Structure formats: C-alpha cells, structure tokens
Short mmCIF file of all heavy atoms in Angstrom, two decimals:
data_model
loop_
_atom_site.label_atom_id
_atom_site.label_comp_id
_atom_site.label_asym_id
_atom_site.label_seq_id
_atom_site.Cartn_x
_atom_site.Cartn_y
_atom_site.Cartn_z
N MET S 13 -9.60 -1.36 9.57
CA MET S 13 -10.47 -2.53 9.28
C MET S 13 -9.73 -3.59 8.44
O MET S 13 -10.19 -4.73 8.29
CB MET S 13 -11.69 -2.02 8.59
CG MET S 13 -11.63 -1.78 7.15
SD MET S 13 -13.24 -1.20 6.49
CE MET S 13 -12.81 -1.04 4.82
N MET S 14 -8.63 -3.15 7.82
CA MET S 14 -7.84 -4.14 6.95
C MET S 14 -6.86 -4.96 7.83
O MET S 14 -6.42 -6.01 7.27
CB MET S 14 -7.14 -3.41 5.92
CG MET S 14 -7.98 -2.72 4.88
SD MET S 14 -8.99 -3.92 3.97
CE MET S 14 -7.82 -4.93 3.24
N LEU S 15 -6.58 -4.49 8.99
CA LEU S 15 -5.52 -5.18 9.74
C LEU S 15 -5.78 -6.70 9.94
O LEU S 15 -4.78 -7.52 9.76
CB LEU S 15 -5.23 -4.47 11.02
CG LEU S 15 -4.76 -3.04 10.94
CD1 LEU S 15 -4.50 -2.40 12.24
CD2 LEU S 15 -3.57 -2.83 9.97
N PRO S 16 -6.95 -7.11 10.32
CA PRO S 16 -7.17 -8.55 10.45
C PRO S 16 -6.98 -9.35 9.21
O PRO S 16 -6.51 -10.47 9.15
CB PRO S 16 -8.66 -8.64 10.91
CG PRO S 16 -8.92 -7.34 11.50
CD PRO S 16 -8.18 -6.32 10.76
N HIS S 17 -7.26 -8.69 8.08
CA HIS S 17 -7.06 -9.37 6.74
C HIS S 17 -5.58 -9.52 6.43
O HIS S 17 -5.11 -10.53 5.90
CB HIS S 17 -7.75 -8.59 5.58
CG HIS S 17 -9.21 -8.49 5.80
ND1 HIS S 17 -10.06 -9.57 5.58
CD2 HIS S 17 -9.96 -7.43 6.16
CE1 HIS S 17 -11.31 -9.17 5.82
NE2 HIS S 17 -11.26 -7.90 6.17
N LEU S 18 -4.75 -8.51 6.83
CA LEU S 18 -3.34 -8.60 6.63
C LEU S 18 -2.80 -9.76 7.51
O LEU S 18 -1.96 -10.51 7.06
CB LEU S 18 -2.65 -7.27 6.97
CG LEU S 18 -3.08 -6.02 6.22
CD1 LEU S 18 -2.37 -4.83 6.68
CD2 LEU S 18 -2.90 -6.22 4.74
N ASP S 19 -3.28 -9.71 8.77
CA ASP S 19 -2.77 -10.86 9.71
C ASP S 19 -3.14 -12.21 9.16
O ASP S 19 -2.36 -13.14 9.21
CB ASP S 19 -3.44 -10.66 11.04
CG ASP S 19 -2.81 -9.41 11.75
OD1 ASP S 19 -1.74 -9.04 11.39
OD2 ASP S 19 -3.52 -8.92 12.71
N ALA S 20 -4.38 -12.30 8.66
CA ALA S 20 -4.76 -13.62 8.11
C ALA S 20 -3.90 -14.02 6.89
O ALA S 20 -3.57 -15.25 6.73
CB ALA S 20 -6.23 -13.61 7.71
N ALA S 21 -3.60 -13.10 6.02
CA ALA S 21 -2.79 -13.44 4.88
C ALA S 21 -1.40 -13.87 5.34
O ALA S 21 -0.85 -14.81 4.80
CB ALA S 21 -2.70 -12.23 3.93
N ARG S 22 -0.79 -13.16 6.24
CA ARG S 22 0.49 -13.50 6.77
C ARG S 22 0.43 -14.90 7.48
O ARG S 22 1.36 -15.75 7.26
CB ARG S 22 1.04 -12.48 7.80
CG ARG S 22 1.45 -11.22 7.03
CD ARG S 22 1.81 -10.16 8.09
NE ARG S 22 3.19 -10.26 8.41
CZ ARG S 22 3.80 -9.57 9.30
NH1 ARG S 22 3.15 -8.66 10.02
NH2 ARG S 22 5.08 -9.66 9.59
N ALA S 23 -0.62 -15.20 8.21
CA ALA S 23 -0.72 -16.46 8.87
C ALA S 23 -0.89 -17.61 7.87
O ALA S 23 -0.51 -18.73 8.12
CB ALA S 23 -1.96 -16.48 9.83
N ALA S 24 -1.45 -17.29 6.65
CA ALA S 24 -1.57 -18.33 5.66
C ALA S 24 -0.33 -18.45 4.85
O ALA S 24 -0.26 -19.27 3.93
CB ALA S 24 -2.74 -17.90 4.71
N GLY S 25 0.72 -17.70 5.18
CA GLY S 25 2.03 -17.86 4.56
C GLY S 25 2.30 -16.92 3.45
O GLY S 25 3.39 -17.03 2.79
N PHE S 26 1.48 -15.96 3.26
CA PHE S 26 1.71 -14.97 2.22
C PHE S 26 2.65 -13.82 2.72
O PHE S 26 2.61 -13.47 3.90
CB PHE S 26 0.38 -14.28 1.70
CG PHE S 26 -0.53 -15.22 0.98
CD1 PHE S 26 -1.51 -15.94 1.60
CD2 PHE S 26 -0.25 -15.43 -0.41
CE1 PHE S 26 -2.34 -16.80 0.84
CE2 PHE S 26 -1.05 -16.29 -1.06
CZ PHE S 26 -2.07 -16.98 -0.45
N GLU S 27 3.46 -13.28 1.78
CA GLU S 27 4.17 -12.08 2.07
C GLU S 27 3.27 -10.91 1.85
O GLU S 27 2.75 -10.82 0.71
CB GLU S 27 5.49 -11.96 1.26
CG GLU S 27 6.28 -10.76 1.59
CD GLU S 27 7.50 -10.63 0.73
OE1 GLU S 27 7.94 -11.64 0.11
OE2 GLU S 27 8.13 -9.59 0.74
N VAL S 28 3.05 -10.08 2.83
CA VAL S 28 2.04 -8.96 2.69
C VAL S 28 2.71 -7.66 2.43
O VAL S 28 3.57 -7.25 3.24
CB VAL S 28 1.19 -8.91 3.94
CG1 VAL S 28 0.25 -7.73 3.90
CG2 VAL S 28 0.42 -10.23 4.18
N GLU S 29 2.39 -7.04 1.32
CA GLU S 29 2.92 -5.75 1.04
C GLU S 29 1.67 -4.82 0.84
O GLU S 29 0.62 -5.22 0.19
CB GLU S 29 3.71 -5.73 -0.32
CG GLU S 29 4.99 -6.57 -0.18
CD GLU S 29 5.94 -6.31 -1.40
OE1 GLU S 29 5.91 -5.20 -1.93
OE2 GLU S 29 6.61 -7.26 -1.66
N VAL S 30 1.76 -3.59 1.40
CA VAL S 30 0.68 -2.66 1.26
C VAL S 30 1.18 -1.48 0.57
O VAL S 30 2.27 -0.92 0.87
CB VAL S 30 0.17 -2.25 2.68
CG1 VAL S 30 -0.91 -1.20 2.62
CG2 VAL S 30 -0.35 -3.52 3.46
N ALA S 31 0.48 -1.02 -0.44
CA ALA S 31 0.72 0.24 -1.12
C ALA S 31 -0.41 1.22 -0.86
O ALA S 31 -1.49 0.96 -1.23
CB ALA S 31 0.90 -0.02 -2.64
N CYS S 32 -0.12 2.33 -0.15
CA CYS S 32 -1.15 3.25 0.16
C CYS S 32 -0.53 4.59 0.52
O CYS S 32 0.73 4.70 0.59
CB CYS S 32 -1.99 2.76 1.42
SG CYS S 32 -1.01 2.60 2.89
N SER S 33 -1.35 5.56 0.75
CA SER S 33 -0.90 6.85 1.28
C SER S 33 -0.79 6.64 2.71
O SER S 33 -1.81 6.55 3.51
CB SER S 33 -1.85 7.91 0.89
OG SER S 33 -1.45 9.19 1.45
N VAL S 34 0.40 6.61 3.31
CA VAL S 34 0.57 6.42 4.72
C VAL S 34 0.17 7.59 5.46
O VAL S 34 0.59 8.75 5.23
CB VAL S 34 2.04 6.01 5.04
CG1 VAL S 34 2.27 5.84 6.50
CG2 VAL S 34 2.45 4.75 4.22
N THR S 35 -0.71 7.37 6.44
CA THR S 35 -1.27 8.47 7.27
C THR S 35 -0.82 8.26 8.71
O THR S 35 0.10 7.58 8.95
CB THR S 35 -2.80 8.50 7.14
OG1 THR S 35 -3.30 7.24 7.66
CG2 THR S 35 -3.25 8.65 5.70
N ARG S 36 -1.61 8.82 9.56
CA ARG S 36 -1.29 8.64 11.03
C ARG S 36 -1.34 7.19 11.47
O ARG S 36 -0.87 6.91 12.57
CB ARG S 36 -2.27 9.45 11.86
CG ARG S 36 -3.73 9.03 11.68
CD ARG S 36 -4.61 9.85 12.54
NE ARG S 36 -5.96 9.23 12.46
CZ ARG S 36 -7.07 9.83 12.11
NH1 ARG S 36 -7.05 11.14 11.97
NH2 ARG S 36 -8.19 9.17 12.07
N HIS S 37 -1.91 6.32 10.71
CA HIS S 37 -2.02 4.94 11.08
C HIS S 37 -0.84 4.09 10.48
O HIS S 37 -0.91 2.87 10.50
CB HIS S 37 -3.31 4.34 10.59
CG HIS S 37 -4.52 5.03 11.18
ND1 HIS S 37 -4.93 4.97 12.43
CD2 HIS S 37 -5.43 5.89 10.55
CE1 HIS S 37 -5.92 5.75 12.63
NE2 HIS S 37 -6.33 6.29 11.51
N GLY S 38 0.11 4.73 9.99
CA GLY S 38 1.25 4.09 9.37
C GLY S 38 1.96 3.08 10.23
O GLY S 38 2.34 1.96 9.78
N ASP S 39 2.13 3.35 11.49
CA ASP S 39 2.79 2.41 12.38
C ASP S 39 1.93 1.12 12.57
O ASP S 39 2.51 0.02 12.60
CB ASP S 39 3.02 3.03 13.72
CG ASP S 39 4.12 4.12 13.77
OD1 ASP S 39 4.96 4.03 12.75
OD2 ASP S 39 4.17 5.02 14.58
N ASP S 40 0.62 1.28 12.64
CA ASP S 40 -0.24 0.10 12.71
C ASP S 40 -0.10 -0.76 11.48
O ASP S 40 -0.02 -1.95 11.57
CB ASP S 40 -1.70 0.48 12.84
CG ASP S 40 -1.96 1.17 14.24
OD1 ASP S 40 -1.27 0.77 15.24
OD2 ASP S 40 -2.91 1.98 14.42
N VAL S 41 -0.09 -0.13 10.32
CA VAL S 41 0.00 -0.92 9.07
C VAL S 41 1.30 -1.60 9.06
O VAL S 41 1.41 -2.76 8.65
CB VAL S 41 -0.21 0.03 7.89
CG1 VAL S 41 0.06 -0.75 6.55
CG2 VAL S 41 -1.61 0.60 7.86
N ARG S 42 2.37 -0.87 9.37
CA ARG S 42 3.74 -1.49 9.31
C ARG S 42 3.84 -2.67 10.27
O ARG S 42 4.62 -3.62 10.02
CB ARG S 42 4.79 -0.46 9.67
CG ARG S 42 5.02 0.53 8.56
CD ARG S 42 6.17 1.51 8.89
NE ARG S 42 6.17 2.57 7.89
CZ ARG S 42 5.54 3.76 8.08
NH1 ARG S 42 4.79 3.99 9.10
NH2 ARG S 42 5.63 4.63 7.08
N ALA S 43 3.16 -2.65 11.36
CA ALA S 43 3.17 -3.78 12.32
C ALA S 43 2.51 -5.01 11.81
O ALA S 43 2.73 -6.13 12.33
CB ALA S 43 2.53 -3.33 13.65
N HIS S 44 1.62 -4.88 10.82
CA HIS S 44 0.79 -5.99 10.32
C HIS S 44 1.25 -6.41 8.89
O HIS S 44 0.64 -7.29 8.35
CB HIS S 44 -0.64 -5.71 10.37
CG HIS S 44 -1.15 -5.48 11.73
ND1 HIS S 44 -1.72 -6.50 12.49
CD2 HIS S 44 -1.14 -4.35 12.55
CE1 HIS S 44 -2.01 -6.03 13.67
NE2 HIS S 44 -1.70 -4.78 13.73
N ALA S 45 2.17 -5.71 8.31
CA ALA S 45 2.61 -5.99 6.92
C ALA S 45 4.09 -6.30 6.84
O ALA S 45 4.87 -5.82 7.72
CB ALA S 45 2.22 -4.83 5.98
N ASP S 46 4.59 -6.99 5.86
CA ASP S 46 5.95 -7.17 5.69
C ASP S 46 6.66 -6.05 5.06
O ASP S 46 7.84 -5.74 5.36
CB ASP S 46 6.19 -8.50 4.78
CG ASP S 46 5.62 -9.66 5.43
OD1 ASP S 46 6.00 -10.01 6.61
OD2 ASP S 46 4.83 -10.37 4.82
N ARG S 47 5.95 -5.32 4.27
CA ARG S 47 6.45 -4.11 3.58
C ARG S 47 5.36 -3.10 3.32
O ARG S 47 4.24 -3.49 2.91
CB ARG S 47 7.21 -4.51 2.26
CG ARG S 47 7.83 -3.35 1.56
CD ARG S 47 8.54 -3.83 0.37
NE ARG S 47 9.82 -4.46 0.79
CZ ARG S 47 10.63 -5.13 0.06
NH1 ARG S 47 10.40 -5.22 -1.27
NH2 ARG S 47 11.68 -5.72 0.47
N VAL S 48 5.67 -1.82 3.51
CA VAL S 48 4.66 -0.79 3.27
C VAL S 48 5.27 0.20 2.23
O VAL S 48 6.41 0.64 2.45
CB VAL S 48 4.21 -0.03 4.49
CG1 VAL S 48 3.30 1.09 4.16
CG2 VAL S 48 3.62 -1.00 5.46
N HIS S 49 4.52 0.43 1.17
CA HIS S 49 5.00 1.35 0.10
C HIS S 49 4.10 2.62 0.23
O HIS S 49 2.89 2.56 0.07
CB HIS S 49 4.81 0.76 -1.29
CG HIS S 49 5.52 -0.53 -1.42
ND1 HIS S 49 6.86 -0.64 -1.74
CD2 HIS S 49 5.12 -1.80 -1.25
CE1 HIS S 49 7.24 -1.89 -1.79
NE2 HIS S 49 6.18 -2.65 -1.53
N ASP S 50 4.77 3.76 0.48
CA ASP S 50 3.96 5.01 0.63
C ASP S 50 3.76 5.67 -0.72
O ASP S 50 4.75 6.07 -1.36
CB ASP S 50 4.78 5.95 1.54
CG ASP S 50 3.99 7.18 1.92
OD1 ASP S 50 2.73 7.25 1.67
OD2 ASP S 50 4.59 8.14 2.45
N LEU S 51 2.52 5.64 -1.18
CA LEU S 51 2.21 6.27 -2.47
C LEU S 51 1.30 7.51 -2.18
O LEU S 51 0.30 7.34 -1.44
CB LEU S 51 1.47 5.31 -3.42
CG LEU S 51 2.27 4.06 -3.81
CD1 LEU S 51 1.43 3.15 -4.65
CD2 LEU S 51 3.55 4.47 -4.48
N PRO S 52 1.61 8.66 -2.76
CA PRO S 52 0.89 9.88 -2.43
C PRO S 52 -0.47 9.99 -3.07
O PRO S 52 -0.78 11.00 -3.79
CB PRO S 52 1.84 11.01 -2.89
CG PRO S 52 2.55 10.35 -4.09
CD PRO S 52 2.72 8.86 -3.69
N PHE S 53 -1.35 9.01 -2.86
CA PHE S 53 -2.70 9.15 -3.46
C PHE S 53 -3.45 10.14 -2.66
O PHE S 53 -3.26 10.32 -1.44
CB PHE S 53 -3.46 7.75 -3.34
CG PHE S 53 -3.11 6.86 -4.47
CD1 PHE S 53 -2.26 5.77 -4.25
CD2 PHE S 53 -3.60 7.09 -5.72
CE1 PHE S 53 -1.96 4.92 -5.30
CE2 PHE S 53 -3.32 6.21 -6.79
CZ PHE S 53 -2.43 5.13 -6.58
N ARG S 54 -4.37 10.85 -3.29
CA ARG S 54 -5.30 11.80 -2.67
C ARG S 54 -6.64 11.25 -2.54
O ARG S 54 -7.10 10.34 -3.37
CB ARG S 54 -5.35 13.11 -3.40
CG ARG S 54 -3.96 13.73 -3.71
CD ARG S 54 -3.45 14.31 -2.38
NE ARG S 54 -2.15 14.88 -2.53
CZ ARG S 54 -1.86 16.17 -2.80
NH1 ARG S 54 -2.88 17.01 -2.96
NH2 ARG S 54 -0.69 16.64 -2.98
N ARG S 55 -7.50 11.62 -1.66
CA ARG S 55 -8.82 11.18 -1.45
C ARG S 55 -9.72 11.35 -2.65
O ARG S 55 -10.47 10.51 -3.03
CB ARG S 55 -9.49 11.83 -0.22
CG ARG S 55 -8.98 11.21 1.04
CD ARG S 55 -9.93 11.61 2.21
NE ARG S 55 -9.61 10.92 3.44
CZ ARG S 55 -10.05 9.78 3.77
NH1 ARG S 55 -10.81 9.11 3.02
NH2 ARG S 55 -9.69 9.18 4.93
N SER S 56 -9.55 12.54 -3.31
CA SER S 56 -10.44 12.80 -4.46
C SER S 56 -9.88 12.02 -5.64
O SER S 56 -8.78 12.14 -6.05
CB SER S 56 -10.36 14.33 -4.81
OG SER S 56 -10.99 14.54 -6.05
N PRO S 57 -10.72 11.24 -6.23
CA PRO S 57 -10.27 10.35 -7.35
C PRO S 57 -9.88 11.13 -8.53
O PRO S 57 -9.04 10.63 -9.43
CB PRO S 57 -11.53 9.45 -7.66
CG PRO S 57 -12.70 10.12 -7.04
CD PRO S 57 -12.13 10.96 -5.94
N LEU S 58 -10.31 12.38 -8.67
CA LEU S 58 -9.95 13.24 -9.82
C LEU S 58 -8.80 14.14 -9.55
O LEU S 58 -8.46 15.00 -10.45
CB LEU S 58 -11.22 14.01 -10.27
CG LEU S 58 -12.41 13.18 -10.68
CD1 LEU S 58 -13.62 14.07 -11.08
CD2 LEU S 58 -12.09 12.25 -11.80
N HIS S 59 -8.19 14.08 -8.41
CA HIS S 59 -7.06 14.96 -8.14
C HIS S 59 -5.90 14.71 -9.09
O HIS S 59 -5.56 13.55 -9.36
CB HIS S 59 -6.61 14.75 -6.69
CG HIS S 59 -5.69 15.83 -6.19
ND1 HIS S 59 -4.45 15.99 -6.57
CD2 HIS S 59 -6.00 16.85 -5.36
CE1 HIS S 59 -3.89 17.01 -6.00
NE2 HIS S 59 -4.80 17.62 -5.24
N PRO S 60 -5.38 15.76 -9.64
CA PRO S 60 -4.29 15.55 -10.64
C PRO S 60 -3.08 14.75 -10.14
O PRO S 60 -2.42 14.04 -10.84
CB PRO S 60 -3.81 17.01 -11.01
CG PRO S 60 -5.00 17.82 -10.59
CD PRO S 60 -5.71 17.16 -9.45
N ALA S 61 -2.81 14.81 -8.82
CA ALA S 61 -1.61 14.14 -8.24
C ALA S 61 -1.81 12.67 -8.27
O ALA S 61 -0.79 11.89 -8.24
CB ALA S 61 -1.37 14.60 -6.80
N ASN S 62 -3.05 12.14 -8.40
CA ASN S 62 -3.28 10.70 -8.43
C ASN S 62 -2.70 10.09 -9.66
O ASN S 62 -2.36 8.85 -9.75
CB ASN S 62 -4.79 10.40 -8.35
CG ASN S 62 -5.24 10.65 -6.88
OD1 ASN S 62 -4.43 10.58 -5.96
ND2 ASN S 62 -6.53 10.71 -6.76
N ALA S 63 -2.55 10.82 -10.79
CA ALA S 63 -1.93 10.20 -12.01
C ALA S 63 -0.50 9.82 -11.73
O ALA S 63 -0.07 8.77 -12.13
CB ALA S 63 -2.02 11.24 -13.11
N ALA S 64 0.25 10.63 -11.08
CA ALA S 64 1.62 10.28 -10.71
C ALA S 64 1.64 9.13 -9.73
O ALA S 64 2.49 8.28 -9.85
CB ALA S 64 2.36 11.48 -10.13
N ALA S 65 0.80 9.15 -8.77
CA ALA S 65 0.72 8.03 -7.80
C ALA S 65 0.38 6.72 -8.51
O ALA S 65 0.93 5.69 -8.15
CB ALA S 65 -0.30 8.35 -6.69
N LEU S 66 -0.50 6.78 -9.43
CA LEU S 66 -0.91 5.53 -10.19
C LEU S 66 0.24 5.06 -11.01
O LEU S 66 0.57 3.88 -11.09
CB LEU S 66 -2.06 5.87 -11.06
CG LEU S 66 -2.58 4.66 -11.91
CD1 LEU S 66 -3.00 3.51 -11.05
CD2 LEU S 66 -3.68 5.11 -12.83
N ALA S 67 1.01 5.97 -11.60
CA ALA S 67 2.17 5.60 -12.40
C ALA S 67 3.22 4.88 -11.49
O ALA S 67 3.78 3.89 -11.87
CB ALA S 67 2.79 6.80 -13.06
N ARG S 68 3.41 5.40 -10.27
CA ARG S 68 4.30 4.85 -9.31
C ARG S 68 3.80 3.41 -8.89
O ARG S 68 4.59 2.45 -8.79
CB ARG S 68 4.50 5.64 -8.11
CG ARG S 68 5.37 6.88 -8.37
CD ARG S 68 5.58 7.80 -7.10
NE ARG S 68 6.16 7.02 -5.99
CZ ARG S 68 6.23 7.53 -4.76
NH1 ARG S 68 5.89 8.78 -4.50
NH2 ARG S 68 6.76 6.78 -3.82
N LEU S 69 2.48 3.24 -8.73
CA LEU S 69 1.94 1.99 -8.36
C LEU S 69 2.17 0.93 -9.50
O LEU S 69 2.56 -0.24 -9.19
CB LEU S 69 0.48 2.12 -8.09
CG LEU S 69 -0.27 0.81 -7.67
CD1 LEU S 69 0.31 0.18 -6.53
CD2 LEU S 69 -1.74 1.10 -7.54
N VAL S 70 2.00 1.34 -10.71
CA VAL S 70 2.20 0.46 -11.88
C VAL S 70 3.68 0.05 -11.92
O VAL S 70 4.02 -1.17 -12.09
CB VAL S 70 1.77 1.10 -13.17
CG1 VAL S 70 2.25 0.33 -14.41
CG2 VAL S 70 0.26 1.31 -13.19
N ARG S 71 4.61 1.00 -11.71
CA ARG S 71 6.01 0.62 -11.70
C ARG S 71 6.35 -0.30 -10.50
O ARG S 71 7.14 -1.24 -10.72
CB ARG S 71 6.88 1.89 -11.62
CG ARG S 71 7.00 2.63 -12.89
CD ARG S 71 8.06 3.78 -12.87
NE ARG S 71 7.93 4.70 -11.78
CZ ARG S 71 7.24 5.79 -11.78
NH1 ARG S 71 6.64 6.15 -12.94
NH2 ARG S 71 7.17 6.66 -10.80
N LEU S 72 5.75 -0.11 -9.39
CA LEU S 72 5.96 -0.98 -8.28
C LEU S 72 5.45 -2.38 -8.49
O LEU S 72 6.20 -3.39 -8.29
CB LEU S 72 5.25 -0.37 -7.07
CG LEU S 72 5.25 -1.28 -5.75
CD1 LEU S 72 6.58 -1.49 -5.24
CD2 LEU S 72 4.27 -0.63 -4.71
N ILE S 73 4.29 -2.52 -9.08
CA ILE S 73 3.74 -3.87 -9.38
C ILE S 73 4.64 -4.54 -10.39
O ILE S 73 4.97 -5.74 -10.28
CB ILE S 73 2.27 -3.73 -9.90
CG1 ILE S 73 1.38 -3.28 -8.72
CG2 ILE S 73 1.83 -5.07 -10.57
CD1 ILE S 73 -0.01 -2.88 -9.19
N ARG S 74 5.03 -3.84 -11.41
CA ARG S 74 5.94 -4.46 -12.43
C ARG S 74 7.25 -4.87 -11.85
O ARG S 74 7.79 -5.92 -12.14
CB ARG S 74 6.13 -3.52 -13.60
CG ARG S 74 4.91 -3.40 -14.43
CD ARG S 74 5.10 -2.45 -15.58
NE ARG S 74 3.90 -2.39 -16.46
CZ ARG S 74 3.62 -1.41 -17.25
NH1 ARG S 74 4.44 -0.34 -17.37
NH2 ARG S 74 2.53 -1.45 -17.98
N ALA S 75 7.86 -4.07 -10.96
CA ALA S 75 9.13 -4.35 -10.33
C ALA S 75 9.04 -5.57 -9.35
O ALA S 75 9.99 -6.29 -9.23
CB ALA S 75 9.65 -3.17 -9.57
N ARG S 76 7.91 -5.77 -8.75
CA ARG S 76 7.69 -6.78 -7.75
C ARG S 76 7.29 -8.13 -8.30
O ARG S 76 7.34 -9.13 -7.59
CB ARG S 76 6.68 -6.35 -6.70
CG ARG S 76 7.02 -5.12 -5.91
CD ARG S 76 8.29 -5.14 -5.11
NE ARG S 76 8.09 -6.14 -4.07
CZ ARG S 76 9.18 -6.79 -3.47
NH1 ARG S 76 10.32 -6.55 -3.83
NH2 ARG S 76 8.93 -7.64 -2.53
N ARG S 77 6.98 -8.13 -9.57
CA ARG S 77 6.60 -9.46 -10.25
C ARG S 77 7.81 -10.31 -10.26
O ARG S 77 8.92 -9.95 -10.73
CB ARG S 77 6.17 -9.21 -11.70
CG ARG S 77 4.80 -8.71 -11.78
CD ARG S 77 4.36 -8.68 -13.27
NE ARG S 77 3.16 -7.92 -13.39
CZ ARG S 77 2.69 -7.46 -14.53
NH1 ARG S 77 3.38 -7.71 -15.63
NH2 ARG S 77 1.63 -6.75 -14.58
N THR S 78 7.64 -11.50 -9.74
CA THR S 78 8.78 -12.45 -9.78
C THR S 78 8.28 -13.82 -10.09
O THR S 78 7.22 -14.22 -10.00
CB THR S 78 9.54 -12.52 -8.49
OG1 THR S 78 8.55 -12.76 -7.42
CG2 THR S 78 10.23 -11.19 -8.21
#
C-alpha cells in the first residue's frame, strides 16, 4: 500500500529511502525506492529485539542527516 506514495515522492524529486524489516516484498520495495535499509524490527512492539533495531534506526537517521 506504500508503493504509490514512494512513487509520488520520487516523482516530486525526493530521494526515497525506506527503513524496514525486509520481507518477501523486498524486491517490490527496492523497485520503488532509491535505497532500502533492512532493519530487524519484529511485529510485536514489546519484542526485546526491537530495542537494537531502534538503535540502528537512530544511528541511520543521524548518519543520513546532511
């Protein structure tokens, strides 16, 4: 459901980066984004692994600020 939004952002001149847990739809996402960052988020918001994934997301955002 996000692919049309990614296309619209690219058409408007934005560089589109997606940070998510890449699943079986990874090829579709890669076809509609300029860059895909695979972060190991779990579906359960309280899963302990999400703390590490969130830390990686924060580092990614800080590194991509320009």
Side-chain angles (χ1 to χ4, degrees):
M13 84 181 179
M14 292 299 300
L15 300 181
H17 299 286
L18 301 179
D19 291 338
R22 288 174 87 184
F26 291 96
E27 182 178 345
V28 175
E29 295 191 33
V30 176
C32 64
S33 180
V34 176
T35 62
R36 63 180 188 229
H37 303 291
D39 290 337
D40 290 332
V41 173
R42 285 183 190 92
H44 296 266
D46 297 305
R47 182 176 287 175
V48 177
H49 305 276
D50 187 13
L51 298 178
F53 279 105
R54 304 290 177 92
R55 283 196 173 274
S56 171
L58 300 178
H59 194 286
N62 285 342
L66 178 61
R68 286 180 57 186
L69 178 60
V70 169
R71 285 193 302 271
L72 174 65
I73 291 169
R74 287 180 177 158
R76 300 298 294 157
R77 283 187 193 164
T78 53

